[in-house]
């Protein structure tokens, strides 16, 4: 019997997404491809910050190993969320993949200036969306080494 390797252990993923359709597609992508990682979802930037700080309803929230962050969020914009994460000594080690519909050069440049780990434009087609989620998962689970929680 082989012991699970560090890279084969499930990781905690935080999806910060306000579009119910995109949340559903991400959940289906995880389910369809047997992604074992735990997907936690918050629907706006304010919830994301509360989740990460373990405040209020999120007092017992698990520490994410990876954040999938939409940019265009209500209450607190995704760009602000990214800036807060990357300026916080305790949170900045968590990889953040900006997963958004925006293809604007200024959003790409600003996201990388704020130290996003990757910028991915969401495909509209479901099958392609599933492939993108699978690639992100493959990279961060099988290729990259994530910091310990």
């Amino acid at each position: 019997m082989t012991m699970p390797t560090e890279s084969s252990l499930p990781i905690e993923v935080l999806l910060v997404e306000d579009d119910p359709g995109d949340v559903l597609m991400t959940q289906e992508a995880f389910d369809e491809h047997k992604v074992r990682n735990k997907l936690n979802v918050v629907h706006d930037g304010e919830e994301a910050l509360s989740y990460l700080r373990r405040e209020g309803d999120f007092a017992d929230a698990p520490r994410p190993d990876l954040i999938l962050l939409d940019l265009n969020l209500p209450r607190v914009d995704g760009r602000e969320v990214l800036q807060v994460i990357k300026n916080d000594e305790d949170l900045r080690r968590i990889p953040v993949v900006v997963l958004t519909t925006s293809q604007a050069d200024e959003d790409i440049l600003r996201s990388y200036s704020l130290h996003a780990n990757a910028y991915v434009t969401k495909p509209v087609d479901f099958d392609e969306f599933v492939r993108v989620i699978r690639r992100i998962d493959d990279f961060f689970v099988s290729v990259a080494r994530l910091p310990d929680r």
Side-chain angles (χ1 to χ4, degrees), residues 20-55:
D22 288 347
V23 170
L24 183 60
M25 283 198 307
T26 304
Q27 289 169 328
E28 288 181 12
F30 271 61
D31 293 343
E32 185 174 315
H33 287 285
K34 310 295 186 267
V35 174
R36 297 178 309 126
N37 300 329
K38 174 80 170 110
L39 183 65
N40 303 286
V41 180
V42 294
H43 303 284
D44 62 51
E46 191 172 285
E47 282 187 352
L49 294 174
S50 292
Y51 184 101
L52 292 166
R53 293 173 177 151
R54 296 181 176 138
E55 298 171 341

Side-chain angles (χ1 to χ4, degrees), residues 10-142:
I11 65 170
E12 294 284 342
V13 178
L14 177 61
L15 174 63
V16 185
E17 175 60 65
D18 65 315
D19 184 314
D22 288 347
V23 170
L24 183 60
M25 283 198 307
T26 304
Q27 289 169 328
E28 288 181 12
F30 271 61
D31 293 343
E32 185 174 315
H33 287 285
K34 310 295 186 267
V35 174
R36 297 178 309 126
N37 300 329
K38 174 80 170 110
L39 183 65
N40 303 286
V41 180
V42 294
H43 303 284
D44 62 51
E46 191 172 285
E47 282 187 352
L49 294 174
S50 292
Y51 184 101
L52 292 166
R53 293 173 177 151
R54 296 181 176 138
E55 298 171 341
D57 293 341
F58 303 107
D60 296 324
R63 173 72 173 227
D65 298 299
L66 175 65
I67 299 169
L68 303 178
L69 177 66
D70 188 20
L71 288 182
N72 302 311
L73 297 168
R75 298 171 82 185
V76 177
D77 185 74
R79 294 156 195 85
E80 285 182 63
V81 173
L82 179 59
Q83 185 171 14
V84 168
I85 291 168
K86 294 305 181 177
N87 284 327
D88 184 299
E89 193 170 321
D90 190 44
L91 300 174
R92 73 175 55 141
R93 291 177 298 227
I94 302 171
V96 178
V97 175
V98 172
L99 183 61
T100 187
T101 55
S102 175
Q103 297 181 29
D105 287 341
E106 69 184 54
D107 283 336
I108 296 167
L109 290 171
R110 183 161 181 217
S111 294
Y112 282 116
S113 293
L114 293 172
H115 306 288
N117 297 85
Y119 190 100
V120 178
T121 303
K122 293 181 203 170
V124 177
D125 176 73
F126 174 75
D127 291 331
E128 185 58 29
F129 187 91
V130 169
R131 279 191 285 279
V132 165
I133 295 297
R134 184 67 185 158
R135 286 183 191 136
I136 292 169
D137 176 69
D138 284 343
F139 179 76
F140 282 98
V141 173
S142 302

